[in-house]
Amino acid sequence: DLGTMSGNLVSYFENLGTSTMNKGENPATWMLNVLSEKIMVSGVNGQEDEPLDFAEAWENSSNKVDLQKQLSEAGETQDPNSKIEYNAEFAASWYQRDTLMAQRLVTIYWRSPAYNLSRMVLSLAIAFLLSSVFIPIRSNLILSEAEMTSLLSTIFISFIIIGVLSITSVIPVSLSIRDMYYRHKAAGMLSSRSVGRAFAVAEKRFIIISSVLFCIVFIPISGIVNSPNQDLRYRVRESIAFWGFFAFNGAIYSYIGQLFTCLVRGQGTATILASVFIGINNFFSGLIVRPQQMTGLWQFTYWINPGHFVYEGLCMSVFHNDTRKVIVSEGSDYYIPLGCDVTYANSDCEVEVHTYVDTFFGGLFHRDNIPRDAIILGCILFAVRMSTFLALKYFTYSGK
């Protein structure tokens, strides 16, 4: 019997000469700490002091005698009413076990401000820094081509930066949780399903919070939904769609980071895989290399790249019906594709934003593709989560 609030346990060790337990200290943690202490006791027959052997001290203690007596009495009586039995291997159902594990991991996340609070603050800071550049032009009804391409580039940079922040910060946290799971897995106390679900639940709310914080700052300050032909309700719908794809992006980066930590042994290898993913996502999402420029074999990387569907969803959510004007100068790469050489021969021409964006991406980004993009991103997330479950189930790298 450990006693009330582990009082018997504490008294036993303190009587052996260990350091006393501080007020509010966890008895289990304190016990593990004092077991590593070097306590000197008098030697036998007046010999020099020698380190205390905790195992020998237990063998010679009255506590062991009392425990053996209680066990003998329990074995002799064998009261059927005292027998502990369950109808299943575990006392709680699988759903209860998974829920408790998820709640525990959520608590661990809340108690990790270095991870989550910093992520929230950085989301706000990055959103303000990127969007504040457009404060002087946010209400303009006529934009230069440079200003328009800057808007498209900033949207690209925003989801890439937040994605990189998500995947690089989640790897060390996931690694520590993974190693904890390996120890419990060896003892038969946790299943891969419980930890896999807990990973998703704990990360989900912070993905939503960080994406909301970013969008409520970035969207109004940058003015990306300030088309004159749109009322407030329409702008809110566009903003929600933009947030949805932004949240998708954060989820994909975060959950892929978790997958990498479960697939490989150490943080270094997981970080290398994350760097490869980041590089591919940057290059083939549709800005650095435009969709119309990816032909032949390169089309494969474009169509399997989640960044492509995120970027298309973000741009088409806010620009598909934008009637603001863009001034295109002669000599621009898009002067002839926009038909300016016919309508405005040898002079600058004005086209609507949605027309310019359509030409900018070679006519391959469409508003009608938004449902498809959302479905594909959902499928990618599902595949990543299933892969994480399988990695947790079949791979065990830690020897702890």
Side-chain angles (χ1 to χ4, degrees):
D1 182 12
L2 296 178
T4 304
M5 301 180 67
S6 301
N8 294 343
L9 171 72
V10 174
S11 298
Y12 169 77
F13 279 103
E14 288 182 346
N15 290 335
L16 291 177
T18 64
S19 58
T20 58
M21 189 177 75
N22 298 321
K23 184 178 180 180
E25 189 174 2
N26 187 324
T29 304
W30 172 81
M31 180 192 71
L32 294 175
N33 290 334
V34 299
L35 284 174
S36 63
E37 292 180 357
K38 186 177 182 179
I39 303 170
M40 303 304 294
V41 296
S42 299
V44 181
N45 299 325
Q47 294 180 1
E48 294 183 358
D49 292 350
E50 56 186 22
L52 173 65
D53 187 332
F54 283 100
E56 184 179 346
W58 168 253
E59 290 290 337
N60 299 326
S61 68
S62 60
N63 299 74
K64 180 185 177 182
V65 175
D66 293 339
L67 178 60
Q68 287 180 327
K69 182 178 178 181
Q70 294 174 18
L71 292 175
S72 299
E73 292 175 354
E76 292 173 359
T77 57
Q78 294 186 353
D79 183 5
N81 296 325
S82 301
K83 189 175 182 181
I84 301 175
E85 291 183 315
Y86 296 102
N87 296 325
E89 180 182 0
F90 299 99
S93 66
W94 68 267
Y95 182 79
Q96 290 175 309
R97 298 196 306 274
D98 289 2
T99 301
L100 290 171
M101 182 61 202
Q103 291 173 350
R104 174 58 181 159
L105 206 54
V106 168
T107 302
I108 292 174
Y109 266 57
W110 277 116
R111 293 175 179 175
S112 304
Y115 172 49
N116 288 303
L117 182 59
S118 60
R119 183 162 55 162
M120 305 298 110
V121 173
L122 283 173
S123 294
L124 288 171
I126 292 170
F128 179 76
L129 287 174
L130 292 177
S131 60
S132 61
V133 177
F134 300 101
I135 290 177
I137 64 168
R138 62 183 302 275
S139 300
N140 290 2
L141 299 181
I142 300 177
L143 304 171
S144 68
E145 185 176 6
E147 291 168 344
M148 188 62 229
T149 55
S150 294
L151 277 173
L152 294 171
S153 300
T154 301
I155 291 174
F156 174 82
I157 293 170
S158 66
F159 83 81
I160 291 295
I161 290 178
I162 296 300
V164 171
L165 173 65
S166 299
I167 197 170
T168 54
S169 59
V170 80
I171 286 177
V173 176
S174 300
L175 195 66
S176 63
I177 296 171
R178 183 205 71 173
D179 290 342
M180 174 275 297
Y181 158 68
Y182 286 155
R183 294 191 291 271
H184 288 77
K185 176 184 178 182
M189 297 174 63
L190 278 179
S191 69
S192 58
R193 184 194 62 246
S194 297
V195 178
R197 180 189 170 197
F199 263 140
V201 172
E203 190 69 28
K204 176 178 64 178
R205 62 189 63 198
F206 293 102
I207 292 170
I208 294 174
I209 293 172
S210 62
S211 60
V212 167
L213 290 175
F214 184 93
C215 290
I216 62 176
V217 173
F218 181 81
I219 293 174
I221 294 180
S222 65
I224 57 175
V225 293
N226 284 358
S227 178
N229 64 319
Q230 299 168 357
D231 57 18
L232 179 61
R233 179 180 299 180
Y234 197 90
R235 294 180 183 185
V236 169
R237 288 208 309 267
E238 287 187 337
S239 299
I240 292 175
F242 185 92
W243 164 79
F245 281 98
F246 204 86
F248 257 131
N249 178 70
I252 287 173
Y253 271 91
S254 295
Y255 289 140
I256 284 181
Q258 291 181 350
L259 172 61
F260 288 160
T261 61
C262 297
L263 279 175
V264 297
R265 180 179 297 276
Q267 182 174 338
T269 309
T271 303
I272 291 172
L273 290 176
S275 300
V276 173
F277 172 75
I278 291 168
I280 293 174
N281 215 37
N282 285 1
F283 199 75
F284 296 108
S285 289
L287 179 70
I288 297 177
V289 180
R290 306 289 160 72
Q292 63 271 29
Q293 296 168 340
M294 291 187 236
T295 58
L297 179 63
W298 296 113
Q299 288 185 353
F300 171 74
T301 56
Y302 174 69
W303 289 106
I304 66 169
N305 192 348
H308 152 216
F309 305 104
V310 170
Y311 192 37
E312 181 177 25
L314 292 173
C315 292
M316 292 299 101
S317 295
V318 294
F319 294 134
H320 74 97
N321 195 30
D322 195 328
T323 58
R324 287 177 291 181
K325 302 294 183 180
V326 178
I327 298 176
V328 181
S329 302
E330 186 179 9
S332 166
D333 292 338
Y334 308 103
Y335 191 81
I336 294 176
L338 285 167
C340 296
D341 58 326
V342 177
T343 310
Y344 301 87
N346 302 319
S347 64
D348 295 345
C349 73
E350 290 185 2
V351 296
E352 293 184 342
V353 165
H354 68 88
T355 302
Y356 181 84
V357 171
D358 180 71
T359 305
F360 186 85
F361 293 111
L364 296 175
F365 276 18
H366 294 289
R367 164 71 174 179
D368 295 340
N369 292 342
I370 285 182
R372 180 207 65 183
D373 294 338
I375 292 172
I376 291 175
L377 290 172
C379 292
I380 292 173
L381 274 180
F382 179 79
V384 169
R385 295 309 307 153
M386 290 301 101
S387 299
T388 304
F389 277 104
L390 293 174
L392 285 168
K393 183 175 181 179
Y394 293 109
F395 297 157
T396 303
Y397 293 110
S398 176
K400 298 179 181 179

